[in-house]
Amino acid sequence: MPDARISELPAAAFPADTDLAPLVQSSDGLNETRRASVAQLRGAVLADRAAHVRDHGAKGDGQTDDAPAIQAAVNALAGRGGGTLEFGPRTYRIASPIVVEGATVRFQGAGFTEGPPPAQGTWLLVDTTGFTPITFRGLLARGSAVRDIAVQQAHTAALNASWAPTPYDFVVRVEDCFGGVDFDNLFLCGVNKGIHCRNSGRLDIRRLRAQAFSCAVEIDECYDVPRIHNVHLWPYWNGGNDVVRWQQNNGDAMVFRRSDGAFIDQFFALGYRSAFRFASSAAGVTTKFYIGQAYVDFAKYAVLVEGANTTGQIAGLTTQGELFGSGGTPVAGSCGVLLAGTGARVQIGNLRVDTVEDNPVRLEGSNNRLDLFSLRCVKFNTRANNAAAIHLADSGAAAPNAVHLGSPPLLEGPPTPGPLVNTGTNGVLSKQAPAGRAARPGLAVGSADAGFFAPSATSLAASVGGAEVLRASAGGGVTMGGAAGAHAFEVAAPASVANRVLVSGAAAGAPVSVQAQGADANIGLALSPRGTGALSAQVPDGSATGGNARGANAADWQTARSGAAQVASGPRSSVGGGSNNTASGTSSTIGGGDTNTAAGLGAAVAGGRGNQAGGTDSWVPGGSFANVRGQSGKGAWASGQFAAAGDAQAGEQVLRRQTTDGTPTRLTADGGAPNAANTANLPNNSAYACRIMVVAKEVGGGNAKAMWDFVALARRDASATATNVTASPVAGTAQAAALGAGSTTGWSVTLNADTANGGIAVTVVGAAGATINWVARILSVEAVG
């Protein structure tokens, strides 16, 4: 019926590509009827639009192998420069490989309903092993994508304790694209392995939901920042103990080998051996990875670092290592973070680890460094074997492992938490801060100019208000009260640690103490000034409170005085205590008491009050108000006074001289010529009752000896010239020895009044050719006034 009207023609059951159809075509303003095949019409209408898998024969019935039809559609798109390949809401069985190569093709599904079996939306069903279902390969495949599609594999093993997944290859492989392939809204429901990317940078995975038994994503040779966001790995296909526990023993959710700068964020995984496994390949290891927010449940390890020199950061991670379906029992050997290789550098901002067998954090190998800025460990040390929150393996001769804490960790039970770090390791656990300086310490406390800083690699210092107040140096001790070299106090590093000083305080009413402590039964305690510096119980201040400066090498333990001069002011002088005492003579000493004075060279006052030792080598044993009156070597003691010190006292003086001839010679306190200080002189208006004993001994060739004993009354009135001595034996007459031995012929002693100096003159005569030592002791009872 060539001339029949169109309305008179029979209806076509299903138009084939070779069928013809009339059409009116406008050309140069003229309408002309022409014919065209259905294939020609389709090509014209669908030019530059998305293709559909059904156009190439895909059935989507879940029975037919639709892979050849899908491959044909991919090839067709490649022939026209790539494009979008649409999948309807059907189940497409894939039993042979689909390869996208030489073109950019985007697989676009119709979405999916979560959960098995394949339900509404677009599903790919894989039930045959030995091939990769979808592969993107080569440079021209960059920019390809898979969106809004679900995938399920058939696993027929019996669900029992021996269950294992069917060993399918990865669902998708991205190979040698050198650029990005995107995955968006992909559902892998019960697959053995999910996505593998090799030698293709800028991989982008978003909204991935999966139960991938062995591995969800593996990346290697990715040199340009892959990105993985919004991942939820959950037992969608089967949540039984047999399946999930197999994953806990064998599955690694994310495996990174050589990957540069991987970004992972908003990640959740349940039931894996490891959530993030950083391994290695011939191409290298992962560096500069970043994990933003991650929560890992029922995993042996949240982070497992095996590759040497892996580096990366984690902003926030929560993980728990419970054996699935066990009611709280942890997986054997579980821990939150395990650095198992060498040279890793990992930083974690916030880390919580719950329910692990022993250690929440472990560093094995050597030279690993982990920086933790906020750590919380809950329910660890579950075997009660004193397992530490952080276990640092001893690296032996290799570089030690180190963990640096940014804040104090929180360690919680039950059961009783273990220690923070294990013992018996050369590993380092510390909190570190920059070296800083006094004005801006590296670790500030309260304000920017107060805290701790490190002046050198071997010292640590503290500053307040920008000024150093404390420093501790290795091998150099501790300085306090100012910068080193301008400090006020120093504790030197000891040569031995057997003995030490204990400085302790006390409650109100009790004294503070400085004690020698240590291993020895008897320990000395030394206070050593420098050079000619003095020791004193108070700081000299020129007032009655602290007193004047002490003498060179003096020691002054007196703490009460009424005048600034009442101190140990003489060189090498000392005041043992008491009050208001003055030791002004060189090498003079006052033991204590009150208002005593030792002004002579070598003078000494043992104690008492109001005593005066003003002569060279003079002394007062105690009592009150004795006065040696400037006499050399004289001792005096009293129990009080009438009107002035020394007016009612006893005294004692030793005189000496050596003779070698028969010339009369005066005995004196210092063995020199007589003067007012070295003889037995009286003050004006005084009377002394004396006993004078003299002994003489020949030295050298002879061996003669003799003694004399006098009782005398010495008087001195208004002046020295008014001095008189009466004695028994008679004064003024030479007396032979009272007792003697050997040849003492010519030896004599005469007592006379010394009107030049105002005292008692003891004059001796020896013998020519004889060397004789003469010693006299004068015991006196003295009244003055």
Side-chain angles (χ1 to χ4, degrees), residues 468-472 476-492 501 503 514 527:
E468 180 179 330
V469 295
L470 171 69
R471 180 181 297 193
V478 177
T479 60
M480 300 172 62
H487 55 277
F489 184 77
E490 181 172 349
V491 178
V501 174
V503 180
V514 179
L527 299 175

Side-chain angles (χ1 to χ4, degrees), residues 462-525:
S463 65
V464 176
E468 180 179 330
V469 295
L470 171 69
R471 180 181 297 193
S473 302
V478 177
T479 60
M480 300 172 62
H487 55 277
F489 184 77
E490 181 172 349
V491 178
S496 170
V497 296
N499 300 322
R500 63 190 180 277
V501 174
L502 173 64
V503 180
S504 60
V512 298
S513 65
V514 179
Q515 303 176 40
Q517 299 285 312
D520 297 337
N522 302 295
I523 306 171
L525 183 66

Side-chain angles (χ1 to χ4, degrees), residues 435-465:
R437 52 195 173 90
R440 292 291 182 268
L443 179 61
V445 180
S447 62
D449 60 357
F452 296 94
F453 68 100
S456 69
T458 58
S459 61
L460 176 66
S463 65
V464 176

Side-chain angles (χ1 to χ4, degrees), residues 284-575:
V285 298
T286 297
T287 57
K288 302 177 184 177
F289 71 81
Y290 178 86
I291 299 173
Q293 304 170 76
Y295 177 26
V296 180
D297 214 358
F298 296 99
K300 184 174 183 179
Y301 313 115
V303 178
L304 172 60
V305 178
E306 298 172 318
N309 304 313
T310 298
T311 63
Q313 295 176 304
I314 301 173
L317 171 62
T318 295
T319 179
Q320 68 102 350
E322 182 182 342
L323 181 65
F324 190 76
S326 67
T329 302
V331 175
S334 56
C335 70
V337 177
L338 173 60
L339 275 57
T342 60
R345 298 289 183 268
V346 179
Q347 296 170 291
I348 303 179
N350 295 282
L351 174 62
R352 172 172 175 161
V353 182
D354 288 15
T355 315
V356 292
E357 185 177 62
D358 290 332
N359 314 111
V361 177
R362 292 185 66 91
L363 276 68
E364 303 290 350
S366 63
N367 196 29
N368 295 298
R369 171 169 174 159
L370 177 62
D371 292 82
L372 290 172
F373 297 95
S374 180
L375 173 64
R376 180 180 181 184
C377 302
V378 181
K379 195 179 178 182
F380 68 99
N381 185 35
T382 56
R383 295 191 293 174
N385 59 355
N386 205 40
I390 300 173
H391 179 88
L392 300 174
D394 194 305
S395 64
N401 296 302
V403 173
H404 298 287
L405 299 176
S407 62
L410 175 60
L411 309 181
E412 299 179 283
T416 302
L420 178 58
V421 67
N422 57 302
T423 59
T425 176
N426 66 346
V428 176
L429 176 66
S430 67
K431 293 176 65 175
Q432 286 190 320
R437 52 195 173 90
R440 292 291 182 268
L443 179 61
V445 180
S447 62
D449 60 357
F452 296 94
F453 68 100
S456 69
T458 58
S459 61
L460 176 66
S463 65
V464 176
E468 180 179 330
V469 295
L470 171 69
R471 180 181 297 193
S473 302
V478 177
T479 60
M480 300 172 62
H487 55 277
F489 184 77
E490 181 172 349
V491 178
S496 170
V497 296
N499 300 322
R500 63 190 180 277
V501 174
L502 173 64
V503 180
S504 60
V512 298
S513 65
V514 179
Q515 303 176 40
Q517 299 285 312
D520 297 337
N522 302 295
I523 306 171
L525 183 66
L527 299 175
S528 302
R530 184 175 181 180
T532 61
L535 286 173
S536 64
Q538 294 174 315
V539 178
D541 60 3
S543 73
T545 301
N548 292 338
R550 279 50 167 183
N553 300 114
D556 188 345
W557 303 115
Q558 180 175 247
T559 59
R561 64 189 60 77
S562 59
Q566 294 170 345
V567 297
S569 57
R572 301 177 297 283
S573 63
S574 63
V575 176

Side-chain angles (χ1 to χ4, degrees), residues 115-118 123-127 150-154 187-191 237:
W123 287 76
L124 305 182
L125 175 61
V126 180
D127 57 7
V151 181
Q152 182 171 342
Q153 294 174 341
F187 183 34
L188 306 178
C189 183
V191 302
W237 182 79

